[in-house]
Amino acid sequence: MDIKSALFKCSSQFVDQCPKDGRPEFAFIGRSNVGKSSLINMLTNQKSLAKVSATPGKTRLINHFLIDEQWYMVDLPGYGYARVSKNERKGFSEMITRYILEREQMVFLFLLVDSRLEPQKIDLEFIQFLGENSVPFGIVFTKCDKLSQNKVESGVALYRRVLKKSWDELPIMFLTSSEKKMGKDSVLDFVESCM
Ligand code: GTP
Ligand code: MG
């Protein structure tokens, strides 16, 4: 699949403010600064559809982007960002949890992890939460341009080993770099296969 049009639709603070047209949604989540907004721009061939920032915590609302007038990409706020107040963090996590558990239109969740890091506690806990709630999700390794191919592969292998300890079935995994436009077809072909 190649995307022909991508338009910003709306930003929502609460799930009940999200679009009500029933179009299917594919959402992107992960730690703050992992590259969610950059990935959305890469997939849609746009430079600044989703706002990218070197400072973590840029995306603070649920952002809907209408793709080819048929489906939505949803940019969710990053979790685990320390430099917001406790109250704000609680608000974010409530927003994310409610979106994930209540949003019937959400077909699939892409969980982004930084390919340079070993499995992080916060991500593993999040995966646990997704598994326990039967949320369909896959893991997207980001910023693969920053590592050699060998290092990327050993990082993925480590992730598999860690997940195997708790899960029989492993989620689908994607290797990406927004910088190098890597992984675009595998992500978009997967989306197409879900619709
Ligand atoms: P929040 O909205 O703050 O949660 O962050 P985010 O997950 O949306 O990350 P964002 O896309 O804003 O990117 C964070 C930083 O990582 C920016 O400085 C990007 O330029 C950089 N970045 C994102 N993707 C890549 C990538 O594939 N390769 C490289 N080298 N840098 C990347
Ligand atoms: Mg963002």
Side-chain angles (χ1 to χ4, degrees), residues 42-87:
M42 188 271 274
L43 295 173
T44 54
N45 311 310
Q46 299 218 11
K47 280 215 172 74
S48 47
L49 181 67
K51 291 198 184 79
V52 170
S53 166
T55 341
K58 182 73 186 169
T59 309
R60 292 183 169 222
L61 296 164
I62 303 170
N63 295 297
H64 277 74
F65 301 98
L66 180 59
I67 310 298
D68 291 337
E69 290 173 29
Q70 286 175 13
W71 57 283
Y72 288 110
M73 276 188 193
V74 182
D75 192 8
L76 294 169
Y79 55 75
Y81 177 48
R83 258 189 288 172
V84 294
S85 70
K86 218 171 170 184
N87 261 347

Side-chain angles (χ1 to χ4, degrees), residues 32-38 53 57-59 143 145-146 178:
S32 199
N33 218 38
V34 70
K36 299 173 292 294
S37 301
S38 303
S53 166
K58 182 73 186 169
T59 309
K143 310 190 187 184
D145 58 283
K146 295 210 175 190
S178 300

